Amino acid sequence: MQNTNSFKTYLDDISVKWFKNFIVEKVENFRNGFIEDNEPGFGDFTPDLNVTSYILSKVKTDIETISKYSDIKDFIEKYSLNIKNNDDLKNIGSAAQSELLETIEKNPNNIQEKITELIMKMQINNITKNLNKSLKIIETLLNKLGEDTLLNEIEYEDLEYILQKNLEKTLKKLKEWSAENPKQSEFYKEEMDIVSNDPDFQKRKEASEIIEHYFGNIIGQEIQENEIEELSVENINENSKIIVFNKGIMISEELRGKIELINCIFKNSKEFKKSNV
């Protein structure tokens, strides 16, 4: 990569590679859990394979067409649910419930297909929502350092400061969650110290993967199947176990996404000016 490139072109290249790799992994993990592993979170429900294949094929085709940062934003907008306060699981659940009731009224024989579609929409929405939070890093960098700035005009120390400050916002959220849930946070205490303090972003990346794995594969198992089956929009509140744990899962995914993106940016740190050189 030549240092005569603009900063925007540099970030475009990095963000596209990062996004495509990350979302393909997430979509594939979801597919495996939804179709092949009969993930407990879906209870006894059997997805409609035709609907599943159609939606996943469409998503993968759209991923392949992404070539620049603006394409990523278009993709996220396309696959994000148009729901007020999209971070609120209760709002998402209420919207899904309304859509399902409407389907039952119009075509009661189409329930399996509709439930499959709704589950996939919500899962893909969660994936894109978290990746979008990580991508705020790109927007912050361009706003503060300038789209037309050349790579050899960027001070490494400025870049490092902006990225660290942005990362600290997500770290703060996870630390707050951990303080409120000390029993669970004890299991990733060492990794939490690494992602917070280690100067080596490769080590931070590895630690963030462990934290995300813990949230995605272990903490979720603490929610009993009967708790999911008995869950309804009416009895969801911010203290519900599924809400609390889902919040932690989303934060851990956001953290890993940010750290991986930052690590990608730092891998070419030689392109930037360093005041101590």
Side-chain angles (χ1 to χ4, degrees):
M1 186 176 292
Q2 298 297 315
N3 64 5
T4 52
N5 284 346
S6 72
F7 190 43
K8 184 179 185 304
T9 301
Y10 174 81
L11 292 180
D12 255 20
D13 291 343
I14 285 175
S15 59
V16 166
K17 290 175 184 176
W18 167 83
F19 183 83
K20 292 174 84 168
N21 288 338
F22 214 95
I23 196 165
V24 166
E25 175 198 321
K26 290 293 182 183
V27 169
E28 190 63 22
N29 287 344
F30 164 63
R31 185 190 73 83
N32 291 339
F34 193 41
I35 298 177
E36 298 176 4
D37 297 338
N38 294 318
E39 195 167 288
F42 301 118
D44 295 327
F45 175 72
T46 301
D48 184 291
L49 294 182
N50 289 330
V51 173
T52 303
S53 297
Y54 172 77
I55 294 177
L56 288 178
S57 176
K58 192 168 180 294
V59 169
K60 289 180 179 179
T61 298
D62 287 342
I63 291 172
E64 290 171 1
T65 64
I66 295 173
S67 62
K68 54 186 182 297
Y69 182 73
S70 59
D71 293 338
I72 297 175
K73 301 302 287 185
D74 290 341
F75 178 94
I76 290 173
E77 183 176 357
K78 180 176 181 178
Y79 287 99
S80 294
L81 296 177
N82 187 22
I83 298 172
K84 185 179 180 181
N85 193 1
N86 200 3
D87 275 329
D88 192 328
L89 194 61
K90 185 170 184 176
N91 283 349
I92 294 174
S94 180
Q97 191 176 71
S98 297
E99 192 170 340
L100 182 58
L101 288 173
E102 183 180 342
T103 299
I104 293 173
E105 290 175 359
K106 291 181 178 178
N107 186 359
N109 297 320
N110 197 32
I111 297 176
Q112 184 190 24
E113 293 178 13
K114 193 61 184 180
I115 293 177
T116 300
E117 180 186 346
L118 287 173
I119 290 175
M120 296 192 71
K121 278 184 177 180
M122 288 189 287
Q123 291 295 323
I124 294 171
N125 169 75
N126 286 342
I127 293 170
T128 56
K129 180 173 61 179
N130 261 353
L131 292 178
N132 193 38
K133 289 177 181 177
S134 299
L135 281 168
K136 296 295 183 185
I137 289 176
I138 302 297
E139 295 170 15
T140 300
L141 286 173
L142 291 175
N143 287 335
K144 291 185 177 295
L145 299 177
E147 292 188 7
D148 299 325
T149 307
L150 299 181
L151 288 185
N152 59 1
E153 297 174 333
I154 300 290
E155 293 280 357
Y156 177 81
E157 289 75 11
D158 292 341
L159 180 74
E160 185 178 38
Y161 176 81
I162 294 169
L163 291 175
Q164 182 59 38
K165 285 296 180 183
N166 192 289
L167 179 60
E168 284 173 3
K169 295 177 182 178
T170 305
L171 285 170
K172 181 181 178 182
K173 289 194 287 186
L174 186 55
K175 287 175 181 177
E176 289 174 350
W177 191 96
S178 300
E180 294 168 359
N181 300 274
K183 178 183 174 183
Q184 285 75 28
S185 62
E186 189 65 29
F187 290 98
Y188 55 86
K189 190 175 181 180
E190 182 179 340
E191 287 76 22
M192 193 68 198
D193 182 61
I194 294 173
V195 296
S196 300
N197 303 307
D198 202 297
D200 186 338
F201 261 84
Q202 181 60 35
K203 290 182 180 178
R204 288 196 187 192
K205 174 179 173 292
E206 293 166 0
S208 70
E209 290 172 353
I210 294 173
I211 293 174
E212 184 197 39
H213 175 80
Y214 171 76
F215 273 93
N217 296 277
I218 299 175
I219 197 171
Q221 294 178 8
E222 293 193 25
I223 303 174
Q224 302 299 316
E225 189 168 335
N226 67 300
E227 292 178 285
I228 297 173
E229 291 173 349
E230 295 170 3
L231 192 66
S232 67
V233 174
E234 289 74 21
N235 62 29
I236 289 180
N237 62 68
E238 62 181 13
N239 296 317
S240 300
K241 185 188 287 187
I242 193 169
I243 296 292
V244 173
F245 285 3
N246 185 70
K247 182 179 179 182
I249 290 169
M250 298 294 278
I251 295 171
S252 72
E253 291 180 354
E254 178 187 337
L255 178 67
R256 182 196 158 196
K258 277 192 176 183
I259 288 178
E260 289 209 3
L261 183 54
I262 291 172
N263 190 50
C264 290
I265 295 171
F266 277 151
K267 278 183 177 178
N268 291 289
S269 62
K270 63 181 181 296
E271 303 289 342
F272 306 102
K273 290 195 301 183
K274 294 187 179 180
S275 59
N276 60 348
V277 176

Short mmCIF file of all heavy atoms in Angstrom, two decimals, residues 3 11 56 63 76 78 90 132 139 142 156 192 220 238 273:
data_model
loop_
_atom_site.label_atom_id
_atom_site.label_comp_id
_atom_site.label_asym_id
_atom_site.label_seq_id
_atom_site.Cartn_x
_atom_site.Cartn_y
_atom_site.Cartn_z
N ASN A 3 1.96 5.12 0.42
CA ASN A 3 1.54 6.15 1.36
C ASN A 3 1.04 7.41 0.67
O ASN A 3 0.73 8.39 1.31
CB ASN A 3 2.66 6.49 2.34
CG ASN A 3 3.88 7.08 1.65
OD1 ASN A 3 3.86 7.33 0.45
ND2 ASN A 3 4.93 7.30 2.42
N LEU A 11 -8.87 3.56 4.40
CA LEU A 11 -9.89 3.06 5.30
C LEU A 11 -10.98 2.29 4.56
O LEU A 11 -11.56 1.34 5.09
CB LEU A 11 -10.51 4.21 6.10
CG LEU A 11 -9.59 4.89 7.11
CD1 LEU A 11 -10.33 6.02 7.82
CD2 LEU A 11 -9.04 3.90 8.13
N LEU A 56 -30.46 -16.53 2.89
CA LEU A 56 -29.00 -16.59 3.04
C LEU A 56 -28.29 -16.39 1.71
O LEU A 56 -27.24 -15.73 1.64
CB LEU A 56 -28.58 -17.93 3.66
CG LEU A 56 -28.92 -18.12 5.14
CD1 LEU A 56 -28.50 -19.50 5.60
CD2 LEU A 56 -28.24 -17.06 5.99
N ILE A 63 -23.36 -9.37 -0.07
CA ILE A 63 -22.04 -9.20 0.54
C ILE A 63 -20.96 -9.16 -0.53
O ILE A 63 -20.03 -8.34 -0.47
CB ILE A 63 -21.75 -10.35 1.54
CG1 ILE A 63 -22.66 -10.23 2.76
CG2 ILE A 63 -20.28 -10.33 1.98
CD1 ILE A 63 -22.57 -11.42 3.71
N ILE A 76 -26.02 -2.39 5.42
CA ILE A 76 -26.52 -2.33 6.80
C ILE A 76 -27.93 -1.75 6.83
O ILE A 76 -28.81 -2.26 7.52
CB ILE A 76 -25.57 -1.50 7.68
CG1 ILE A 76 -24.26 -2.27 7.90
CG2 ILE A 76 -26.21 -1.15 9.02
CD1 ILE A 76 -23.19 -1.49 8.61
N LYS A 78 -30.11 -1.82 4.47
CA LYS A 78 -31.03 -2.77 3.83
C LYS A 78 -31.45 -3.88 4.79
O LYS A 78 -32.61 -4.31 4.79
CB LYS A 78 -30.35 -3.38 2.60
CG LYS A 78 -31.21 -4.40 1.86
CD LYS A 78 -30.52 -4.90 0.60
CE LYS A 78 -31.38 -5.90 -0.15
NZ LYS A 78 -30.74 -6.36 -1.41
N LYS A 90 -37.36 -5.59 23.42
CA LYS A 90 -38.81 -5.60 23.59
C LYS A 90 -39.49 -5.00 22.36
O LYS A 90 -40.50 -5.52 21.89
CB LYS A 90 -39.20 -4.81 24.84
CG LYS A 90 -40.69 -4.87 25.15
CD LYS A 90 -41.00 -4.28 26.51
CE LYS A 90 -42.48 -4.43 26.84
NZ LYS A 90 -42.80 -3.95 28.20
N ASN A 132 -22.21 -2.18 12.63
CA ASN A 132 -22.35 -0.74 12.39
C ASN A 132 -21.76 0.06 13.55
O ASN A 132 -21.15 1.12 13.35
CB ASN A 132 -23.83 -0.39 12.21
CG ASN A 132 -24.02 1.00 11.65
OD1 ASN A 132 -23.27 1.46 10.80
ND2 ASN A 132 -25.03 1.70 12.14
N GLU A 139 -15.92 6.45 10.69
CA GLU A 139 -16.52 7.78 10.57
C GLU A 139 -15.80 8.78 11.47
O GLU A 139 -15.56 9.93 11.06
CB GLU A 139 -18.01 7.71 10.92
CG GLU A 139 -18.81 6.86 9.95
CD GLU A 139 -20.22 6.59 10.42
OE1 GLU A 139 -20.68 7.29 11.34
OE2 GLU A 139 -20.87 5.69 9.87
N LEU A 142 -12.36 9.69 9.90
CA LEU A 142 -12.48 10.57 8.73
C LEU A 142 -12.90 11.98 9.14
O LEU A 142 -12.42 12.96 8.57
CB LEU A 142 -13.49 9.98 7.74
CG LEU A 142 -13.05 8.70 7.03
CD1 LEU A 142 -14.18 8.14 6.17
CD2 LEU A 142 -11.81 8.95 6.17
N TYR A 156 0.81 9.17 13.50
CA TYR A 156 0.46 7.89 14.12
C TYR A 156 -0.11 8.09 15.52
O TYR A 156 -1.07 7.43 15.92
CB TYR A 156 1.70 6.99 14.19
CG TYR A 156 1.44 5.68 14.90
CD1 TYR A 156 0.84 4.62 14.23
CD2 TYR A 156 1.78 5.51 16.24
CE1 TYR A 156 0.59 3.41 14.88
CE2 TYR A 156 1.54 4.31 16.89
CZ TYR A 156 0.95 3.27 16.21
OH TYR A 156 0.70 2.08 16.86
N MET A 192 -10.25 -9.61 30.20
CA MET A 192 -10.71 -8.23 30.32
C MET A 192 -9.53 -7.30 30.58
O MET A 192 -9.47 -6.18 30.05
CB MET A 192 -11.72 -8.12 31.47
CG MET A 192 -12.48 -6.81 31.49
SD MET A 192 -13.61 -6.66 30.09
CE MET A 192 -13.89 -4.89 30.11
N GLY A 220 -25.01 -17.87 27.39
CA GLY A 220 -26.34 -18.08 26.83
C GLY A 220 -27.00 -19.35 27.34
O GLY A 220 -28.23 -19.46 27.41
N GLU A 238 -36.16 -4.64 31.55
CA GLU A 238 -34.70 -4.49 31.50
C GLU A 238 -33.97 -5.41 32.48
O GLU A 238 -32.77 -5.63 32.36
CB GLU A 238 -34.31 -3.04 31.77
CG GLU A 238 -34.72 -2.53 33.14
CD GLU A 238 -34.33 -1.07 33.35
OE1 GLU A 238 -33.98 -0.41 32.37
OE2 GLU A 238 -34.37 -0.63 34.50
N LYS A 273 3.09 8.80 9.90
CA LYS A 273 4.23 9.50 10.49
C LYS A 273 4.29 9.22 11.99
O LYS A 273 3.26 9.15 12.66
CB LYS A 273 4.10 11.01 10.28
CG LYS A 273 4.29 11.46 8.85
CD LYS A 273 4.53 12.96 8.77
CE LYS A 273 3.37 13.74 9.35
NZ LYS A 273 3.56 15.20 9.21
#
